[in-house]
Amino acid sequence: MTDKLESRKAAARQWFEKLRDEICASFESIEHEAIGESMYAEMTPGSFEQKSWTRPTQDGDTAQGGGGVMSVMRGRVFEKVGVNVSTVYGEFSGQFRDQIPGAKDDPRFWASGISLVSHPRSPLMPIAHMNTRMIVTTKHWFGGGGDLTPVFPVDADTRDFHGAFKLACELHDTGFYDEGYYPKFKAWCDDYFYLPHRSEARGVGGIFYDNLNTGNWQADFAFTQDVGRAFRDVYPSIIRRHLNEAWTEQQREAQLIKRGRYVEFNLIHDRGTKFGLMTGGNTDAILMSLPPLAGWP
Amino acid sequence: MTDKLESRKAAARQWFEKLRDEICASFESIEHEAIGESMYAEMTPGSFEQKSWTRPTQDGDTAQGGGGVMSVMRGRVFEKVGVNVSTVYGEFSGQFRDQIPGAKDDPRFWASGISLVSHPRSPLMPIAHMNTRMIVTTKHWFGGGGDLTPVFPVDADTRDFHGAFKLACELHDTGFYDEGYYPKFKAWCDDYFYLPHRSEARGVGGIFYDNLNTGNWQADFAFTQDVGRAFRDVYPSIIRRHLNEAWTEQQREAQLIKRGRYVEFNLIHDRGTKFGLMTGGNTDAILMSLPPLAGWP
């Protein structure tokens, strides 16, 4: 069992890193496609810069550790996009033991995942977030999802984004949830990415899932992989749809305000951000999701 | 006792509103002083706009209520400055009863106060915050303070800001705290306005006090008034010191990053913000402290 779990952890970690490489390559190629009459003609295409970090540990404490790699591109189409891949392990401190499944009696954990937030320069292109992860305590499970935050929602974008995740859900639905993966995970996303203090949704949704362990690890991993692939393929196609659209100063203003709401959600409500900051995660990596510029005029 | 307490509540409320009027008049006059060769020559002086709000209540529920007035100026020297005055009353919900002094057995409260955050356009002028309040449960007390957040600290500004509050502290020190008002409240401010996830202070400090009830209401009120007057007088003098200084694009960039830290503090750590958002306060008024533009490049 231990050997099998170890090989699964290794496989999940390798996948997250491979997915990161594929997405970064795809985004970089878009940077080069924006040419000619577009708003980016005068600007230089961006490329990702990587920075690795290690989890600070006490000298000689081999039970805690790990780290990650932040990949950030400050480009012309992607004004700021960050992709974090991290694999960390250790012991949960007291306050988390009761909250995390399987951590009550044995606080040891291992976690690996990819998380991405994209802030395009154009206010006509949607902000996007994607994250998938595998967590191991005395239990083990997958979680993740993706959601889209347009400043000005476009039906085709919303339809394509949901369609891609719906397909991944339907291909891998094990029947574990009575209502079906897509309805369940779509509703979960709407519920999670909501700003109660503004009485507004963060965007047009997507899917969100957590604690997924159907008893069939291969099926859960294959689903998680296809969630990543769905995002890898659909978001670039949405970005390309708007590649040659010009925008106005007013639209840019509206974008800065929408980005302000994004900041509010991430700093006030997002569990991942809170969890990361409270468990001594890497602040730069955790807050890489924040927009390059935001406004509260 | 009830009549006396009612007249004290009325006096405190009137003072907070008077202080607001004095500060707003002072800031508006500065808008007109920036002329000639300055960075603002092409811009129009701003003036405060007021917007009142009432606390939403159930029909016929006269035990809950109140409201406030937001005053906001989007000017040329003051890119965005918000001054909130509010007076609210009602009952604390369960989660707060154990946390608020005197609310455990009787959850009724009354609270009145002024809060201000100023975001100057010039990166050479410091961001400032000031807040004073009177709270009544089965106990009653004052709280408040002010703190300064320069992008590029200037010794004279820091010295003047601390000097003004130190004077107010020393004039009204009742001996209630062994260490003295100023050392106590200065340390409290340094402790409170700190970003643990960045391991950095919000700015150069000031004073912070809470639960102040020495047994002499007049003395506590007089102190709270002089804290407000100290801010009313010293902050404009600091702003005027930098009125004719030109700034660079790099300095503006640094300001946007510092403002991002300000957003982080207010949304992640500030108790007032959390308390307001969780008790159904007015979101626009609570988040008026956020900067007009901020960056996480």
Side-chain angles (χ1 to χ4, degrees):
Chain A
M1 177 60 195
T2 303
D3 278 357
K4 196 162 73 180
L5 186 59
E6 288 306 316
S7 71
R8 287 172 175 182
K9 286 156 65 174
R13 175 190 184 146
Q14 280 167 30
W15 162 252
F16 296 133
E17 292 173 358
K18 181 171 185 288
L19 178 62
R20 184 262 325 270
D21 292 342
E22 292 174 0
I23 290 174
C24 290
S26 166
F27 285 13
E28 285 184 351
S29 74
I30 290 177
E31 282 287 308
H32 289 274
E33 293 169 28
I35 49 164
E37 299 301 303
S38 83
M39 303 285 276
Y40 316 101
E42 311 274 298
M43 302 176 73
T44 311
S47 57
F48 278 93
E49 288 177 23
Q50 294 199 333
K51 195 172 167 185
S52 59
W53 55 275
T54 51
R55 198 152 164 268
T57 52
Q58 301 288 330
D59 273 355
D61 181 359
T62 55
Q64 308 264 351
V69 176
M70 295 181 270
S71 303
V72 193
M73 177 163 69
R74 297 176 179 88
R76 49 183 194 175
V77 178
F78 297 94
E79 189 176 344
K80 180 181 171 190
V81 52
V83 192
N84 282 310
V85 167
S86 65
T87 302
V88 295
Y89 52 92
E91 292 192 2
F92 286 119
S93 61
Q95 61 179 136
F96 287 107
R97 291 181 194 182
D98 290 342
Q99 298 171 29
I100 309 284
K104 193 161 186 152
D105 297 322
D106 181 345
R108 288 177 297 170
F109 73 94
W110 176 94
S112 184
I114 178 173
S115 71
L116 176 157
V117 172
S118 161
H119 291 285
R121 186 177 306 276
S122 167
L124 307 177
M125 295 175 180
I127 304 166
H129 152 257
M130 185 275 293
N131 161 241
T132 53
R133 57 194 173 270
M134 176 180 169
I135 315 278
V136 181
T137 59
T138 59
K139 306 183 182 218
H140 58 87
W141 66 90
F142 288 97
D147 77 304
L148 199 71
T149 306
V151 186
F152 305 101
V154 171
D155 285 347
D157 295 348
T158 306
R159 188 194 60 219
D160 290 355
F161 195 76
H162 276 278
F165 285 122
K166 185 166 186 278
L167 190 63
C169 286
E170 290 173 352
L171 276 172
H172 297 280
D173 196 328
T174 59
F176 187 70
Y177 294 105
D178 287 344
E179 61 266 63
Y181 276 22
Y182 178 67
K184 167 91 181 168
F185 299 156
K186 178 186 188 300
W188 202 341
C189 183
D190 289 341
D191 188 55
Y192 183 82
F193 293 108
Y194 185 78
L195 287 74
H197 67 282
R198 296 285 190 185
S199 301
E200 66 187 38
R202 171 154 103 166
V204 297
I207 61 166
F208 183 98
Y209 64 105
D210 204 0
N211 304 312
L212 182 68
N213 182 345
T214 63
N216 180 344
W217 185 85
Q218 279 81 4
D220 299 342
F221 182 42
F223 169 61
T224 291
Q225 287 179 296
D226 267 2
V227 166
R229 289 188 189 101
F231 180 84
R232 177 200 67 192
D233 295 341
V234 75
Y235 185 59
S237 78
I238 290 171
I239 291 292
R240 285 191 175 92
R241 178 175 284 142
H242 304 287
L243 205 54
N244 291 307
E245 292 173 358
W247 61 87
T248 66
E249 268 307 302
Q250 276 105 324
Q251 289 167 331
R252 176 72 176 172
E253 273 296 312
Q255 179 192 46
L256 296 179
I257 293 169
K258 191 71 179 172
R259 286 177 174 179
R261 297 289 204 274
Y262 214 82
V263 172
E264 290 175 23
F265 180 85
N266 284 11
L267 297 185
I268 300 174
H269 301 294
D270 190 60
R271 289 187 316 188
T273 303
K274 274 191 207 173
F275 178 84
L277 293 178
M278 288 167 71
T279 52
N282 185 282
T283 296
D284 288 335
I286 296 163
L287 297 184
M288 204 203 279
S289 64
L290 300 179
L293 207 60
W296 291 265
Chain B
M1 178 60 195
T2 303
D3 279 356
K4 196 163 73 181
L5 187 59
E6 288 307 315
S7 72
R8 288 172 175 181
K9 285 156 66 174
R13 177 190 183 144
Q14 281 166 30
W15 161 252
F16 296 133
E17 293 173 358
K18 180 170 185 286
L19 178 62
R20 184 261 325 273
D21 293 342
E22 292 174 359
I23 290 174
C24 289
S26 164
F27 285 13
E28 284 184 350
S29 75
I30 290 177
E31 283 287 308
H32 289 273
E33 292 169 27
I35 48 165
E37 299 301 303
S38 83
M39 302 286 275
Y40 315 101
E42 310 274 296
M43 303 176 72
T44 312
S47 57
F48 277 93
E49 289 178 21
Q50 293 199 333
K51 192 171 169 185
S52 59
W53 56 275
T54 51
R55 200 153 163 267
T57 52
Q58 301 288 330
D59 274 355
D61 181 359
T62 56
Q64 306 265 351
V69 177
M70 294 181 271
S71 303
V72 193
M73 178 163 69
R74 295 176 179 89
R76 49 182 192 175
V77 178
F78 296 94
E79 189 176 344
K80 179 182 172 190
V81 52
V83 192
N84 282 310
V85 167
S86 67
T87 303
V88 297
Y89 52 92
E91 292 191 1
F92 285 119
S93 60
Q95 59 178 136
F96 287 108
R97 291 181 195 181
D98 290 343
Q99 298 170 29
I100 309 285
K104 193 160 186 152
D105 299 322
D106 182 345
R108 288 177 297 171
F109 74 93
W110 176 94
S112 185
I114 178 172
S115 70
L116 175 157
V117 172
S118 161
H119 291 285
R121 187 176 305 276
S122 167
L124 307 179
M125 295 175 179
I127 304 166
H129 152 259
M130 185 276 293
N131 160 241
T132 54
R133 57 193 174 271
M134 177 181 169
I135 315 277
V136 180
T137 59
T138 59
K139 306 183 180 216
H140 58 87
W141 66 90
F142 288 97
D147 78 302
L148 199 71
T149 307
V151 186
F152 304 101
V154 171
D155 285 347
D157 296 349
T158 306
R159 187 195 58 218
D160 289 355
F161 195 76
H162 276 278
F165 285 122
K166 184 165 186 277
L167 190 62
C169 287
E170 289 173 353
L171 275 172
H172 297 279
D173 196 327
T174 60
F176 187 70
Y177 294 104
D178 287 342
E179 60 266 62
Y181 276 22
Y182 179 67
K184 168 91 180 169
F185 300 156
K186 178 185 188 300
W188 202 340
C189 183
D190 289 341
D191 188 55
Y192 184 81
F193 293 108
Y194 185 78
L195 288 75
H197 66 283
R198 297 286 191 184
S199 302
E200 65 188 38
R202 170 155 104 167
V204 297
I207 61 165
F208 183 98
Y209 64 105
D210 203 1
N211 304 311
L212 182 68
N213 182 343
T214 63
N216 180 343
W217 186 85
Q218 279 81 3
D220 299 341
F221 183 41
F223 169 61
T224 291
Q225 288 180 298
D226 268 0
V227 166
R229 289 188 190 101
F231 180 84
R232 177 199 68 192
D233 295 340
V234 76
Y235 186 60
S237 78
I238 291 171
I239 290 291
R240 285 190 176 93
R241 177 175 286 144
H242 304 287
L243 207 53
N244 292 308
E245 292 173 358
W247 62 86
T248 66
E249 268 307 302
Q250 278 103 322
Q251 288 168 331
R252 177 72 176 172
E253 274 296 310
Q255 179 193 46
L256 296 178
I257 293 169
K258 192 71 179 173
R259 286 178 175 179
R261 297 288 205 274
Y262 213 82
V263 172
E264 291 175 23
F265 181 83
N266 284 11
L267 297 185
I268 300 175
H269 302 293
D270 190 59
R271 288 188 317 190
T273 303
K274 275 192 206 172
F275 178 83
L277 294 177
M278 288 169 72
T279 52
N282 185 283
T283 296
D284 287 336
I286 295 163
L287 297 185
M288 202 202 280
S289 65
L290 300 180
L293 207 60
W296 290 267

